[in-house]
Amino acid sequence: MMKSMLPERGPSTQQILAVVTLLPLGGFLLLVAGLVLAATLIGLAVATPVFVICSPVIVPAALAIGMAVMGFLTSGAFGITALSSLSWMANYIRRTRVGAVVPEQMEHAKRRAQDVAGQVGQKARDVGQAVQGKAQDATRSVQEGVGSRSPGRT
């Protein structure tokens, strides 16, 4: 049972090189991010009492600037997340066998939309002809009513 869930062969050379290259790079970037966070917290701990003692205007200004910077950073993080998600989906569709089925599904959807558009057009023509027929009947009945009146009466 477990053998059926495991891949038939091991990872490719390209995958091994990617892991060997990206694992140390990711670890280094994580270490740098941790050091930057620690330095930011230490700087904030040292600078906050100075801001509070020196001026009551600096604290709200610093908070406003800090919130603006956090907003920009959060926006960038969401943007990068969205782009990486889209990239992953595109690669997934290209890699899998489902990618071969997608054009068939798109073609089927296009044919179905064309069929529905044709049916709607036919229905519109039918309704137009029915309205035109009723208008002609109404015009004839009005003309017959006008013709049956005697000229002496109004």
mmCIF file of all heavy atoms in Angstrom, residues 44-100:
data_model
loop_
_atom_site.group_PDB
_atom_site.id
_atom_site.type_symbol
_atom_site.label_atom_id
_atom_site.label_comp_id
_atom_site.label_asym_id
_atom_site.label_seq_id
_atom_site.Cartn_x
_atom_site.Cartn_y
_atom_site.Cartn_z
ATOM 1 N N LEU A 44 14.125 50.357 19.024
ATOM 2 C CA LEU A 44 12.849 50.886 19.508
ATOM 3 C C LEU A 44 12.844 50.999 21.032
ATOM 4 O O LEU A 44 12.349 51.993 21.589
ATOM 5 C CB LEU A 44 11.705 49.974 19.032
ATOM 6 C CG LEU A 44 10.293 50.455 19.269
ATOM 7 C CD1 LEU A 44 10.053 51.767 18.530
ATOM 8 C CD2 LEU A 44 9.313 49.410 18.791
ATOM 9 N N ALA A 45 13.402 49.997 21.705
ATOM 10 C CA ALA A 45 13.457 50.041 23.168
ATOM 11 C C ALA A 45 14.336 51.194 23.662
ATOM 12 O O ALA A 45 14.045 51.816 24.687
ATOM 13 C CB ALA A 45 13.986 48.715 23.715
ATOM 14 N N VAL A 46 15.408 51.496 22.954
ATOM 15 C CA VAL A 46 16.292 52.587 23.355
ATOM 16 C C VAL A 46 15.675 53.945 22.998
ATOM 17 O O VAL A 46 15.755 54.901 23.766
ATOM 18 C CB VAL A 46 17.679 52.425 22.685
ATOM 19 C CG1 VAL A 46 18.533 53.666 22.858
ATOM 20 C CG2 VAL A 46 18.387 51.206 23.246
ATOM 21 N N ALA A 47 15.042 54.062 21.847
ATOM 22 C CA ALA A 47 14.561 55.352 21.361
ATOM 23 C C ALA A 47 13.218 55.773 21.955
ATOM 24 O O ALA A 47 12.932 56.965 22.034
ATOM 25 C CB ALA A 47 14.445 55.317 19.845
ATOM 26 N N THR A 48 12.403 54.839 22.380
ATOM 27 C CA THR A 48 11.066 55.192 22.878
ATOM 28 C C THR A 48 11.113 56.130 24.088
ATOM 29 O O THR A 48 10.393 57.128 24.101
ATOM 30 C CB THR A 48 10.262 53.916 23.189
ATOM 31 O OG1 THR A 48 10.143 53.143 21.997
ATOM 32 C CG2 THR A 48 8.879 54.247 23.695
ATOM 33 N N PRO A 49 11.909 55.857 25.113
ATOM 34 C CA PRO A 49 11.943 56.809 26.238
ATOM 35 C C PRO A 49 12.412 58.203 25.815
ATOM 36 O O PRO A 49 11.903 59.211 26.314
ATOM 37 C CB PRO A 49 12.939 56.191 27.220
ATOM 38 C CG PRO A 49 12.996 54.759 26.873
ATOM 39 C CD PRO A 49 12.715 54.677 25.411
ATOM 40 N N VAL A 50 13.340 58.278 24.890
ATOM 41 C CA VAL A 50 13.816 59.579 24.413
ATOM 42 C C VAL A 50 12.676 60.323 23.713
ATOM 43 O O VAL A 50 12.484 61.524 23.907
ATOM 44 C CB VAL A 50 15.024 59.404 23.468
ATOM 45 C CG1 VAL A 50 15.458 60.730 22.865
ATOM 46 C CG2 VAL A 50 16.179 58.756 24.212
ATOM 47 N N PHE A 51 11.913 59.623 22.888
ATOM 48 C CA PHE A 51 10.774 60.252 22.198
ATOM 49 C C PHE A 51 9.736 60.743 23.200
ATOM 50 O O PHE A 51 9.198 61.841 23.058
ATOM 51 C CB PHE A 51 10.102 59.259 21.246
ATOM 52 C CG PHE A 51 10.862 59.039 19.966
ATOM 53 C CD1 PHE A 51 10.724 57.856 19.271
ATOM 54 C CD2 PHE A 51 11.715 60.003 19.452
ATOM 55 C CE1 PHE A 51 11.405 57.652 18.095
ATOM 56 C CE2 PHE A 51 12.401 59.802 18.270
ATOM 57 C CZ PHE A 51 12.250 58.610 17.586
ATOM 58 N N VAL A 52 9.453 59.935 24.196
ATOM 59 C CA VAL A 52 8.423 60.312 25.168
ATOM 60 C C VAL A 52 8.874 61.520 25.989
ATOM 61 O O VAL A 52 8.077 62.421 26.272
ATOM 62 C CB VAL A 52 8.086 59.117 26.092
ATOM 63 C CG1 VAL A 52 7.181 59.533 27.231
ATOM 64 C CG2 VAL A 52 7.455 57.997 25.288
ATOM 65 N N ILE A 53 10.123 61.579 26.389
ATOM 66 C CA ILE A 53 10.621 62.683 27.210
ATOM 67 C C ILE A 53 10.741 63.965 26.382
ATOM 68 O O ILE A 53 10.372 65.052 26.840
ATOM 69 C CB ILE A 53 11.987 62.316 27.836
ATOM 70 C CG1 ILE A 53 11.793 61.203 28.859
ATOM 71 C CG2 ILE A 53 12.654 63.524 28.474
ATOM 72 C CD1 ILE A 53 13.089 60.608 29.369
ATOM 73 N N CYS A 54 11.251 63.879 25.171
ATOM 74 C CA CYS A 54 11.561 65.080 24.374
ATOM 75 C C CYS A 54 10.323 65.813 23.889
ATOM 76 O O CYS A 54 10.231 67.020 24.013
ATOM 77 C CB CYS A 54 12.421 64.706 23.185
ATOM 78 S SG CYS A 54 14.090 64.244 23.655
ATOM 79 N N SER A 55 9.374 65.113 23.290
ATOM 80 C CA SER A 55 8.271 65.847 22.695
ATOM 81 C C SER A 55 7.039 64.959 22.572
ATOM 82 O O SER A 55 7.115 63.824 22.113
ATOM 83 C CB SER A 55 8.685 66.338 21.316
ATOM 84 O OG SER A 55 7.566 66.900 20.667
ATOM 85 N N PRO A 56 5.879 65.519 22.960
ATOM 86 C CA PRO A 56 4.647 64.739 22.792
ATOM 87 C C PRO A 56 4.194 64.703 21.327
ATOM 88 O O PRO A 56 3.293 63.961 20.978
ATOM 89 C CB PRO A 56 3.637 65.483 23.654
ATOM 90 C CG PRO A 56 4.204 66.829 23.896
ATOM 91 C CD PRO A 56 5.676 66.725 23.717
ATOM 92 N N VAL A 57 4.819 65.492 20.455
ATOM 93 C CA VAL A 57 4.445 65.491 19.034
ATOM 94 C C VAL A 57 5.168 64.373 18.291
ATOM 95 O O VAL A 57 4.647 63.808 17.338
ATOM 96 C CB VAL A 57 4.789 66.867 18.415
ATOM 97 C CG1 VAL A 57 4.564 66.863 16.922
ATOM 98 C CG2 VAL A 57 3.984 67.956 19.085
ATOM 99 N N ILE A 58 6.374 64.040 18.735
ATOM 100 C CA ILE A 58 7.175 63.055 18.020
ATOM 101 C C ILE A 58 6.539 61.662 18.097
ATOM 102 O O ILE A 58 6.568 60.919 17.124
ATOM 103 C CB ILE A 58 8.612 63.032 18.572
ATOM 104 C CG1 ILE A 58 9.298 64.360 18.247
ATOM 105 C CG2 ILE A 58 9.401 61.884 17.981
ATOM 106 C CD1 ILE A 58 10.699 64.457 18.791
ATOM 107 N N VAL A 59 5.952 61.307 19.224
ATOM 108 C CA VAL A 59 5.378 59.966 19.381
ATOM 109 C C VAL A 59 4.228 59.737 18.400
ATOM 110 O O VAL A 59 4.236 58.727 17.674
ATOM 111 C CB VAL A 59 4.940 59.721 20.843
ATOM 112 C CG1 VAL A 59 4.201 58.412 20.967
ATOM 113 C CG2 VAL A 59 6.153 59.741 21.760
ATOM 114 N N PRO A 60 3.235 60.616 18.320
ATOM 115 C CA PRO A 60 2.189 60.370 17.331
ATOM 116 C C PRO A 60 2.711 60.391 15.887
ATOM 117 O O PRO A 60 2.269 59.618 15.045
ATOM 118 C CB PRO A 60 1.199 61.510 17.536
ATOM 119 C CG PRO A 60 1.444 61.991 18.916
ATOM 120 C CD PRO A 60 2.891 61.742 19.186
ATOM 121 N N ALA A 61 3.692 61.270 15.617
ATOM 122 C CA ALA A 61 4.263 61.309 14.270
ATOM 123 C C ALA A 61 4.983 60.000 13.957
ATOM 124 O O ALA A 61 4.850 59.452 12.861
ATOM 125 C CB ALA A 61 5.225 62.481 14.152
ATOM 126 N N ALA A 62 5.745 59.505 14.928
ATOM 127 C CA ALA A 62 6.460 58.240 14.730
ATOM 128 C C ALA A 62 5.466 57.092 14.543
ATOM 129 O O ALA A 62 5.681 56.203 13.707
ATOM 130 C CB ALA A 62 7.373 57.963 15.912
ATOM 131 N N LEU A 63 4.386 57.105 15.317
ATOM 132 C CA LEU A 63 3.369 56.061 15.161
ATOM 133 C C LEU A 63 2.711 56.145 13.778
ATOM 134 O O LEU A 63 2.488 55.115 13.129
ATOM 135 C CB LEU A 63 2.311 56.171 16.255
ATOM 136 C CG LEU A 63 2.752 55.752 17.657
ATOM 137 C CD1 LEU A 63 1.643 56.006 18.670
ATOM 138 C CD2 LEU A 63 3.136 54.286 17.660
ATOM 139 N N ALA A 64 2.420 57.347 13.342
ATOM 140 C CA ALA A 64 1.798 57.510 12.017
ATOM 141 C C ALA A 64 2.738 57.027 10.914
ATOM 142 O O ALA A 64 2.329 56.305 9.998
ATOM 143 C CB ALA A 64 1.409 58.964 11.797
ATOM 144 N N ILE A 65 4.007 57.409 11.013
ATOM 145 C CA ILE A 65 4.979 56.971 10.005
ATOM 146 C C ILE A 65 5.157 55.454 10.074
ATOM 147 O O ILE A 65 5.218 54.771 9.043
ATOM 148 C CB ILE A 65 6.320 57.707 10.202
ATOM 149 C CG1 ILE A 65 6.154 59.182 9.834
ATOM 150 C CG2 ILE A 65 7.430 57.070 9.375
ATOM 151 C CD1 ILE A 65 7.356 60.029 10.183
ATOM 152 N N GLY A 66 5.227 54.944 11.284
ATOM 153 C CA GLY A 66 5.362 53.494 11.449
ATOM 154 C C GLY A 66 4.178 52.740 10.868
ATOM 155 O O GLY A 66 4.344 51.703 10.206
ATOM 156 N N MET A 67 2.969 53.248 11.097
ATOM 157 C CA MET A 67 1.785 52.585 10.548
ATOM 158 C C MET A 67 1.775 52.672 9.021
ATOM 159 O O MET A 67 1.377 51.711 8.336
ATOM 160 C CB MET A 67 0.520 53.192 11.136
ATOM 161 C CG MET A 67 0.330 52.855 12.614
ATOM 162 S SD MET A 67 -1.088 53.658 13.335
ATOM 163 C CE MET A 67 -2.388 52.631 12.708
ATOM 164 N N ALA A 68 2.219 53.793 8.474
ATOM 165 C CA ALA A 68 2.290 53.925 7.018
ATOM 166 C C ALA A 68 3.288 52.930 6.428
ATOM 167 O O ALA A 68 3.000 52.261 5.430
ATOM 168 C CB ALA A 68 2.672 55.350 6.638
ATOM 169 N N VAL A 69 4.458 52.827 7.074
ATOM 170 C CA VAL A 69 5.469 51.876 6.596
ATOM 171 C C VAL A 69 4.940 50.452 6.697
ATOM 172 O O VAL A 69 5.114 49.639 5.773
ATOM 173 C CB VAL A 69 6.785 52.054 7.389
ATOM 174 C CG1 VAL A 69 7.744 50.906 7.125
ATOM 175 C CG2 VAL A 69 7.424 53.374 7.042
ATOM 176 N N MET A 70 4.298 50.136 7.798
ATOM 177 C CA MET A 70 3.729 48.790 7.945
ATOM 178 C C MET A 70 2.672 48.523 6.880
ATOM 179 O O MET A 70 2.557 47.406 6.362
ATOM 180 C CB MET A 70 3.130 48.610 9.351
ATOM 181 C CG MET A 70 4.168 48.499 10.449
ATOM 182 S SD MET A 70 5.342 47.158 10.203
ATOM 183 C CE MET A 70 4.262 45.759 10.307
ATOM 184 N N GLY A 71 1.886 49.535 6.559
ATOM 185 C CA GLY A 71 0.879 49.367 5.507
ATOM 186 C C GLY A 71 1.508 49.057 4.167
ATOM 187 O O GLY A 71 1.061 48.163 3.447
ATOM 188 N N PHE A 72 2.584 49.816 3.820
ATOM 189 C CA PHE A 72 3.274 49.547 2.557
ATOM 190 C C PHE A 72 3.898 48.154 2.549
ATOM 191 O O PHE A 72 3.827 47.433 1.547
ATOM 192 C CB PHE A 72 4.349 50.597 2.295
ATOM 193 C CG PHE A 72 3.798 51.914 1.847
ATOM 194 C CD1 PHE A 72 4.011 53.055 2.592
ATOM 195 C CD2 PHE A 72 3.056 52.004 0.681
ATOM 196 C CE1 PHE A 72 3.504 54.272 2.177
ATOM 197 C CE2 PHE A 72 2.546 53.227 0.262
ATOM 198 C CZ PHE A 72 2.762 54.361 1.013
ATOM 199 N N LEU A 73 4.510 47.767 3.661
ATOM 200 C CA LEU A 73 5.124 46.441 3.734
ATOM 201 C C LEU A 73 4.084 45.333 3.630
ATOM 202 O O LEU A 73 4.305 44.321 2.971
ATOM 203 C CB LEU A 73 5.936 46.305 5.028
ATOM 204 C CG LEU A 73 7.190 47.171 5.119
ATOM 205 C CD1 LEU A 73 7.850 47.001 6.487
ATOM 206 C CD2 LEU A 73 8.163 46.822 4.011
ATOM 207 N N THR A 74 2.960 45.525 4.321
ATOM 208 C CA THR A 74 1.892 44.531 4.253
ATOM 209 C C THR A 74 1.344 44.433 2.838
ATOM 210 O O THR A 74 1.101 43.336 2.327
ATOM 211 C CB THR A 74 0.765 44.895 5.235
ATOM 212 O OG1 THR A 74 1.330 45.009 6.545
ATOM 213 C CG2 THR A 74 -0.323 43.861 5.238
ATOM 214 N N SER A 75 1.176 45.567 2.201
ATOM 215 C CA SER A 75 0.704 45.575 0.823
ATOM 216 C C SER A 75 1.670 44.817 -0.081
ATOM 217 O O SER A 75 1.247 44.006 -0.915
ATOM 218 C CB SER A 75 0.554 47.017 0.346
ATOM 219 O OG SER A 75 0.260 47.058 -1.020
ATOM 220 N N GLY A 76 2.948 45.067 0.074
ATOM 221 C CA GLY A 76 3.947 44.351 -0.717
ATOM 222 C C GLY A 76 3.931 42.861 -0.450
ATOM 223 O O GLY A 76 4.052 42.051 -1.377
ATOM 224 N N ALA A 77 3.765 42.485 0.821
ATOM 225 C CA ALA A 77 3.719 41.060 1.157
ATOM 226 C C ALA A 77 2.509 40.384 0.514
ATOM 227 O O ALA A 77 2.618 39.278 -0.023
ATOM 228 C CB ALA A 77 3.681 40.886 2.670
ATOM 229 N N PHE A 78 1.361 41.053 0.565
ATOM 230 C CA PHE A 78 0.178 40.469 -0.072
ATOM 231 C C PHE A 78 0.362 40.379 -1.582
ATOM 232 O O PHE A 78 -0.047 39.408 -2.220
ATOM 233 C CB PHE A 78 -1.070 41.279 0.255
ATOM 234 C CG PHE A 78 -1.595 41.049 1.637
ATOM 235 C CD1 PHE A 78 -2.078 42.106 2.388
ATOM 236 C CD2 PHE A 78 -1.621 39.790 2.201
ATOM 237 C CE1 PHE A 78 -2.563 41.914 3.659
ATOM 238 C CE2 PHE A 78 -2.099 39.585 3.471
ATOM 239 C CZ PHE A 78 -2.576 40.641 4.204
ATOM 240 N N GLY A 79 0.994 41.381 -2.177
ATOM 241 C CA GLY A 79 1.240 41.346 -3.618
ATOM 242 C C GLY A 79 2.170 40.208 -4.007
ATOM 243 O O GLY A 79 1.920 39.490 -4.975
ATOM 244 N N ILE A 80 3.243 40.043 -3.250
ATOM 245 C CA ILE A 80 4.180 38.955 -3.540
ATOM 246 C C ILE A 80 3.498 37.605 -3.349
ATOM 247 O O ILE A 80 3.701 36.673 -4.130
ATOM 248 C CB ILE A 80 5.434 39.079 -2.653
ATOM 249 C CG1 ILE A 80 6.259 40.276 -3.117
ATOM 250 C CG2 ILE A 80 6.274 37.811 -2.691
ATOM 251 C CD1 ILE A 80 7.411 40.614 -2.215
ATOM 252 N N THR A 81 2.675 37.491 -2.307
ATOM 253 C CA THR A 81 1.946 36.248 -2.083
ATOM 254 C C THR A 81 1.015 35.949 -3.245
ATOM 255 O O THR A 81 0.929 34.814 -3.719
ATOM 256 C CB THR A 81 1.140 36.336 -0.771
ATOM 257 O OG1 THR A 81 2.042 36.615 0.303
ATOM 258 C CG2 THR A 81 0.415 35.040 -0.501
ATOM 259 N N ALA A 82 0.317 36.962 -3.719
ATOM 260 C CA ALA A 82 -0.600 36.755 -4.838
ATOM 261 C C ALA A 82 0.152 36.333 -6.092
ATOM 262 O O ALA A 82 -0.250 35.398 -6.787
ATOM 263 C CB ALA A 82 -1.398 38.030 -5.100
ATOM 264 N N LEU A 83 1.264 37.029 -6.398
ATOM 265 C CA LEU A 83 2.026 36.677 -7.592
ATOM 266 C C LEU A 83 2.613 35.274 -7.501
ATOM 267 O O LEU A 83 2.603 34.521 -8.472
ATOM 268 C CB LEU A 83 3.144 37.695 -7.818
ATOM 269 C CG LEU A 83 2.686 39.072 -8.292
ATOM 270 C CD1 LEU A 83 3.884 40.016 -8.371
ATOM 271 C CD2 LEU A 83 2.009 38.975 -9.639
ATOM 272 N N SER A 84 3.105 34.909 -6.331
ATOM 273 C CA SER A 84 3.665 33.563 -6.194
ATOM 274 C C SER A 84 2.575 32.503 -6.284
ATOM 275 O O SER A 84 2.795 31.428 -6.834
ATOM 276 C CB SER A 84 4.449 33.436 -4.886
ATOM 277 O OG SER A 84 3.587 33.581 -3.777
ATOM 278 N N SER A 85 1.384 32.810 -5.777
ATOM 279 C CA SER A 85 0.276 31.856 -5.901
ATOM 280 C C SER A 85 -0.121 31.673 -7.360
ATOM 281 O O SER A 85 -0.337 30.544 -7.818
ATOM 282 C CB SER A 85 -0.935 32.343 -5.107
ATOM 283 O OG SER A 85 -0.629 32.427 -3.747
ATOM 284 N N LEU A 86 -0.202 32.781 -8.093
ATOM 285 C CA LEU A 86 -0.532 32.684 -9.519
ATOM 286 C C LEU A 86 0.545 31.926 -10.290
ATOM 287 O O LEU A 86 0.243 31.109 -11.158
ATOM 288 C CB LEU A 86 -0.722 34.078 -10.109
ATOM 289 C CG LEU A 86 -1.959 34.836 -9.644
ATOM 290 C CD1 LEU A 86 -1.939 36.257 -10.178
ATOM 291 C CD2 LEU A 86 -3.223 34.127 -10.087
ATOM 292 N N SER A 87 1.798 32.194 -9.953
ATOM 293 C CA SER A 87 2.896 31.495 -10.605
ATOM 294 C C SER A 87 2.838 29.998 -10.304
ATOM 295 O O SER A 87 3.031 29.163 -11.196
ATOM 296 C CB SER A 87 4.218 32.071 -10.128
ATOM 297 O OG SER A 87 5.289 31.307 -10.605
ATOM 298 N N TRP A 88 2.564 29.645 -9.063
ATOM 299 C CA TRP A 88 2.472 28.241 -8.693
ATOM 300 C C TRP A 88 1.342 27.562 -9.455
ATOM 301 O O TRP A 88 1.494 26.451 -9.971
ATOM 302 C CB TRP A 88 2.239 28.096 -7.185
ATOM 303 C CG TRP A 88 2.122 26.660 -6.783
ATOM 304 C CD1 TRP A 88 3.138 25.807 -6.489
ATOM 305 C CD2 TRP A 88 0.907 25.911 -6.665
ATOM 306 N NE1 TRP A 88 2.628 24.570 -6.187
ATOM 307 C CE2 TRP A 88 1.260 24.603 -6.290
ATOM 308 C CE3 TRP A 88 -0.437 26.210 -6.842
ATOM 309 C CZ2 TRP A 88 0.327 23.606 -6.083
ATOM 310 C CZ3 TRP A 88 -1.372 25.209 -6.635
ATOM 311 C CH2 TRP A 88 -0.992 23.926 -6.265
ATOM 312 N N MET A 89 0.177 28.234 -9.541
ATOM 313 C CA MET A 89 -0.954 27.634 -10.260
ATOM 314 C C MET A 89 -0.623 27.438 -11.734
ATOM 315 O O MET A 89 -0.946 26.400 -12.319
ATOM 316 C CB MET A 89 -2.205 28.498 -10.108
ATOM 317 C CG MET A 89 -2.812 28.414 -8.734
ATOM 318 S SD MET A 89 -4.429 29.190 -8.520
ATOM 319 C CE MET A 89 -4.414 30.568 -9.577
ATOM 320 N N ALA A 90 0.022 28.424 -12.348
ATOM 321 C CA ALA A 90 0.376 28.305 -13.764
ATOM 322 C C ALA A 90 1.343 27.140 -13.974
ATOM 323 O O ALA A 90 1.171 26.335 -14.896
ATOM 324 C CB ALA A 90 0.984 29.603 -14.266
ATOM 325 N N ASN A 91 2.339 27.033 -13.115
ATOM 326 C CA ASN A 91 3.288 25.920 -13.222
ATOM 327 C C ASN A 91 2.604 24.586 -12.963
ATOM 328 O O ASN A 91 2.905 23.593 -13.621
ATOM 329 C CB ASN A 91 4.457 26.109 -12.254
ATOM 330 C CG ASN A 91 5.391 27.205 -12.704
ATOM 331 O OD1 ASN A 91 5.487 27.494 -13.890
ATOM 332 N ND2 ASN A 91 6.074 27.825 -11.760
ATOM 333 N N TYR A 92 1.706 24.533 -12.015
ATOM 334 C CA TYR A 92 0.994 23.292 -11.704
ATOM 335 C C TYR A 92 0.169 22.838 -12.898
ATOM 336 O O TYR A 92 0.178 21.670 -13.264
ATOM 337 C CB TYR A 92 0.094 23.499 -10.478
ATOM 338 C CG TYR A 92 -0.708 22.283 -10.116
ATOM 339 C CD1 TYR A 92 -0.111 21.218 -9.456
ATOM 340 C CD2 TYR A 92 -2.057 22.192 -10.444
ATOM 341 C CE1 TYR A 92 -0.830 20.091 -9.134
ATOM 342 C CE2 TYR A 92 -2.791 21.075 -10.133
ATOM 343 C CZ TYR A 92 -2.182 20.023 -9.470
ATOM 344 O OH TYR A 92 -2.900 18.913 -9.155
ATOM 345 N N ILE A 93 -0.526 23.794 -13.512
ATOM 346 C CA ILE A 93 -1.355 23.436 -14.665
ATOM 347 C C ILE A 93 -0.479 22.977 -15.827
ATOM 348 O O ILE A 93 -0.822 22.030 -16.532
ATOM 349 C CB ILE A 93 -2.243 24.629 -15.068
ATOM 350 C CG1 ILE A 93 -3.335 24.827 -14.018
ATOM 351 C CG2 ILE A 93 -2.853 24.425 -16.434
ATOM 352 C CD1 ILE A 93 -4.168 26.067 -14.236
ATOM 353 N N ARG A 94 0.667 23.622 -16.028
ATOM 354 C CA ARG A 94 1.565 23.217 -17.110
ATOM 355 C C ARG A 94 2.179 21.844 -16.854
ATOM 356 O O ARG A 94 2.390 21.084 -17.794
ATOM 357 C CB ARG A 94 2.684 24.238 -17.264
ATOM 358 C CG ARG A 94 2.367 25.263 -18.316
ATOM 359 C CD ARG A 94 3.564 26.118 -18.619
ATOM 360 N NE ARG A 94 3.292 27.399 -17.989
ATOM 361 C CZ ARG A 94 4.153 28.150 -17.391
ATOM 362 N NH1 ARG A 94 5.402 27.782 -17.307
ATOM 363 N NH2 ARG A 94 3.817 29.286 -16.852
ATOM 364 N N ARG A 95 2.494 21.533 -15.597
ATOM 365 C CA ARG A 95 3.182 20.280 -15.264
ATOM 366 C C ARG A 95 2.270 19.074 -15.283
ATOM 367 O O ARG A 95 2.703 17.986 -15.625
ATOM 368 C CB ARG A 95 3.806 20.389 -13.875
ATOM 369 C CG ARG A 95 5.213 20.846 -13.868
ATOM 370 C CD ARG A 95 5.856 20.549 -12.521
ATOM 371 N NE ARG A 95 4.960 20.817 -11.419
ATOM 372 C CZ ARG A 95 5.059 21.826 -10.574
ATOM 373 N NH1 ARG A 95 6.041 22.663 -10.703
ATOM 374 N NH2 ARG A 95 4.206 21.995 -9.612
ATOM 375 N N THR A 96 1.037 19.240 -14.840
ATOM 376 C CA THR A 96 0.176 18.084 -14.660
ATOM 377 C C THR A 96 -0.513 17.695 -15.957
ATOM 378 O O THR A 96 -0.531 18.430 -16.930
ATOM 379 C CB THR A 96 -0.904 18.376 -13.601
ATOM 380 O OG1 THR A 96 -1.690 19.467 -14.042
ATOM 381 C CG2 THR A 96 -0.285 18.677 -12.259
ATOM 382 N N ARG A 97 -1.100 16.546 -15.919
ATOM 383 C CA ARG A 97 -1.849 16.067 -17.077
ATOM 384 C C ARG A 97 -3.159 16.816 -17.212
ATOM 385 O O ARG A 97 -3.786 16.785 -18.254
ATOM 386 C CB ARG A 97 -2.105 14.576 -16.939
ATOM 387 C CG ARG A 97 -0.837 13.782 -17.057
ATOM 388 C CD ARG A 97 -1.106 12.303 -17.075
ATOM 389 N NE ARG A 97 0.134 11.586 -17.136
ATOM 390 C CZ ARG A 97 0.733 11.039 -16.111
ATOM 391 N NH1 ARG A 97 0.200 11.119 -14.922
ATOM 392 N NH2 ARG A 97 1.858 10.398 -16.248
ATOM 393 N N VAL A 98 -3.596 17.467 -16.143
ATOM 394 C CA VAL A 98 -4.828 18.254 -16.197
ATOM 395 C C VAL A 98 -4.653 19.382 -17.202
ATOM 396 O O VAL A 98 -5.592 19.797 -17.853
ATOM 397 C CB VAL A 98 -5.172 18.809 -14.795
ATOM 398 C CG1 VAL A 98 -6.371 19.722 -14.849
ATOM 399 C CG2 VAL A 98 -5.416 17.660 -13.843
ATOM 400 N N GLY A 99 -3.427 19.833 -17.392
ATOM 401 C CA GLY A 99 -3.160 20.888 -18.350
ATOM 402 C C GLY A 99 -3.569 20.506 -19.763
ATOM 403 O O GLY A 99 -3.951 21.346 -20.565
ATOM 404 N N ALA A 100 -3.502 19.200 -20.076
ATOM 405 C CA ALA A 100 -3.937 18.756 -21.397
ATOM 406 C C ALA A 100 -5.453 18.752 -21.503
ATOM 407 O O ALA A 100 -6.002 18.852 -22.587
ATOM 408 C CB ALA A 100 -3.385 17.367 -21.671
#
